[in-house]
Amino acid sequence: MPRNQASKPAKLLYRPVGLVASVVGGLIASQLFRQLWKRATPYGHAGDDAPKALSTAYPLKQILIASVLQGAIYALVKTITDRGGARLFEGVTGKWPGD
């Protein structure tokens, strides 16, 4: 389904919407990752935050798993919020902000 091509003014008007969508998406992704990490860790570490890259208390395998999970969640949420923001913008203006 082809979309209406965005004009230059429409793209400029979309920038604040896109910025807000990105910030909201980052906050949602962060909270979602924290909750999933707490559920995925054994009971002895249930209160712990995810390991950081330079943490010596965790094995490399666990650090890599946390990193991959965090990246996948961020990418998924970012895609959903970006697409939702673009659809909202299109509904209001009649112009698709991308392409």
Side-chain angles (χ1 to χ4, degrees):
M1 176 170 85
R3 303 244 183 226
N4 293 333
Q5 190 85 22
S7 63
K8 195 167 192 152
K11 287 183 180 185
L12 288 173
L13 285 174
Y14 178 71
R15 284 185 182 176
V17 175
L19 181 61
V20 169
S22 292
V23 170
V24 169
L27 293 172
I28 292 169
S30 177
Q31 288 298 323
L32 183 59
F33 172 69
R34 282 191 194 118
Q35 292 302 315
L36 286 174
W37 187 257
K38 284 181 184 179
R39 286 183 170 80
T41 55
Y43 278 62
H45 300 289
D48 292 347
D49 289 331
K52 306 282 189 269
L54 300 178
S55 294
T56 58
Y58 298 93
L60 178 60
K61 180 180 177 181
Q62 193 171 9
I63 293 170
L64 293 176
I65 289 170
S67 179
V68 167
L69 180 62
Q70 188 174 24
I73 289 170
Y74 177 77
L76 178 67
V77 171
K78 180 172 175 15
T79 299
I80 291 168
T81 55
D82 284 351
R83 190 69 172 200
R87 285 189 174 184
L88 177 66
F89 183 83
E90 182 185 35
V92 171
T93 66
K95 296 287 185 184
W96 185 253
D99 300 336

